[in-house]
Amino acid sequence: MWSLIVHGGAKEISPEEEEANRSGCINALEAGRTILASGGTAVDAVEAAVRVLESDPTFNAGYGSALNGDGEIEMCASLMEGKNVNVGAVTVIKGVWHPISVAKAMLFEEPILLASGGARRFAQQKQMELCDPADLVSPEQLERSRTGKHDTVGCIAFDQHGNLAVGTSTGGLDGSHPGRVGDSPVPGCGYYADNHLGAVAFSGDGEHIARKTLAARVMHALADGPEQALKASIKELETIGGEAGGIVLTAAGLSGWAHNSREFAVAFMTSDDKHAHVFLRKEDKEN
Ligand code: ASP
C-alpha cells in the first residue's frame, strides 16, 4: 500500500487562479505517484512532487517565490524521513532552482539546517542546479507581490516499504525582513515525520505556527485521528491569531487535511484509488 498527499498553500485563490492551482497539485501528485507505485521511496516521491510545485509559478516556492523587503528571493525547504527521523533543511537560500533537492542532499548530513550563504555553498558542493537569484522571479510573482499574498507547498508520502517522508518549500512572506525565517524549515513547527506516529506539513503565518509549535502539537494528538489532530492545532493557533492549512498522513497511511485560510489547494491519492482527489477548500464537493 502507498499513500500521497500534496498541498499548494494556505491562501486566497481567485476564480482565475483555481485551474492553475488544481492542475499544479495534480501534476505534483502524479510525479510522486509514479515513484510510489513502482516501489520507490517516500523521500524520492516527496522530492519529485515538490520539485514540480517549485517549477510552477502558481506557487510560492522555487521559481516564482515571494520577494522580500529588498525585492530578493530567499527560500526555505525541508525534507524529513520517518524511519530514523533524519532532517535536511535549508533556509534563506538564494539562487537554486530546487531548494527541496538541496534539503534532500542534507538529509543524512550531520547538520539538520543550513542557512544563507552556507546553504548555497553546500548546494554548490553537491552539484545542485544553481541560478542567478533574479532568474527565480516570475512575472506572476511580481503581480502577486502587489496583492501581498504568500504560501508554502508541502507533500507527505507513505511508501510500500512502510516509510513516511514529508517535505516543505517556500519563498516565505512578501516584503518580509531580509533574513527572516518562518516555520517551514523548522522541525516540529512547519512539519514533522515519524514512522511510529505519522507526518504533518503546514502552510500559513510562519511566526504564529512556530510560536505554537503546530506540527509537534499534531504529532502528539494523532491518536485522536488525523483531521481531529489538525483541527485542534488550528484552533490552538487561533488563540494567538494566524492562518494555516495542514496535511497529515498517519502511520497507517490515512490522510487528513484542514485549514482556516480561505483556500487550501490539496490533492491526494492512495494505491486503492483509481483517480486523484483534488480540493481547493474544505467545503467543496469533489469534482
Ligand atoms: N509558512 C510560510 C512562512 O511563514 C509562509 C506560508 O505558508 O504562507 O514562511
Side-chain angles (χ1 to χ4, degrees):
M1 190 239 177
W2 57 262
S3 191
L4 184 66
I5 182 164
V6 305
H7 77 75
K11 58 187 174 185
E12 291 185 11
I13 300 173
S14 67
E16 313 82 71
E17 296 166 325
E18 289 197 352
E19 192 39 45
N21 275 272
R22 206 176 271 123
S23 59
C25 286
I26 292 174
N27 293 341
L29 197 76
E30 181 54 24
R33 187 202 67 81
T34 309
I35 291 173
L36 293 178
S38 60
T41 68
V43 166
D44 287 345
V46 166
E47 183 199 18
V50 173
R51 280 177 69 98
V52 170
L53 296 165
E54 286 177 339
S55 301
D56 186 338
T58 306
F59 306 102
N60 174 19
Y63 175 66
S65 282
L67 306 176
N68 69 14
D70 285 350
E72 289 185 335
I73 290 179
E74 295 176 331
M75 301 167 291
C76 303
S78 324
L79 217 159
M80 179 167 189
E81 58 84 38
K83 188 175 178 197
N84 295 304
V85 292
N86 284 300
V87 171
V90 289
T91 188
V92 198
I93 190 168
K94 295 184 195 177
V96 295
W97 285 113
H98 290 292
I100 193 68
S101 295
V102 188
K104 183 184 165 193
M106 287 273 302
L107 198 53
F108 301 107
E109 301 283 337
E110 177 124 35
I112 60 160
L113 176 61
L114 288 178
S116 195
R120 192 163 191 279
R121 198 185 330 156
F122 174 83
Q124 191 165 22
Q125 282 159 0
K126 295 287 174 183
Q127 279 143 13
M128 299 279 123
E129 300 141 280
L130 305 181
C131 61
D132 188 310
D135 292 345
L136 295 166
V137 180
S138 71
E140 291 89 341
Q141 181 52 37
L142 287 175
E143 188 53 42
R144 271 203 303 266
S145 290
R146 284 193 278 276
T147 59
K149 288 185 182 172
H150 59 79
D151 54 305
T152 295
V153 303
C155 174
I156 308 174
F158 176 72
D159 66 28
Q160 296 189 42
H161 317 284
N163 292 317
L164 282 161
V166 59
T168 65
S169 184
T170 187
L173 308 184
D174 282 324
S176 62
H177 196 288
R180 177 252 180 203
V181 179
D183 60 309
S184 305
V186 186
C189 294
Y191 66 96
Y192 203 79
D194 181 339
N195 276 3
H196 297 293
L197 296 168
V200 57
F202 276 107
S203 168
D205 294 311
E207 284 72 10
H208 295 75
I209 293 171
R211 283 165 59 205
K212 283 288 185 181
T213 57
L214 228 52
R217 277 173 200 276
V218 171
M219 295 302 290
H220 291 304
L222 271 178
D224 301 336
E227 270 187 25
Q228 267 316 101
L230 269 178
K231 279 186 197 154
S233 74
I234 292 175
K235 235 180 164 158
E236 185 59 37
L237 182 77
E238 286 170 350
T239 64
I240 58 165
E243 281 190 351
I247 54 173
V248 163
L249 275 189
T250 68
L254 291 176
S255 63
W257 57 289
H259 61 107
N260 69 349
S261 53
R262 203 182 78 180
E263 272 87 26
F264 186 53
V266 170
F268 54 93
M269 191 173 182
T270 74
S271 43
D272 294 337
D273 292 325
K274 290 212 168 37
H275 60 86
H277 306 275
V278 192
F279 294 88
L280 297 182
R281 51 189 84 71
K282 199 75 199 184
E283 60 272 22
D284 279 358
K285 296 261 179 302
E286 200 166 344
N287 51 24

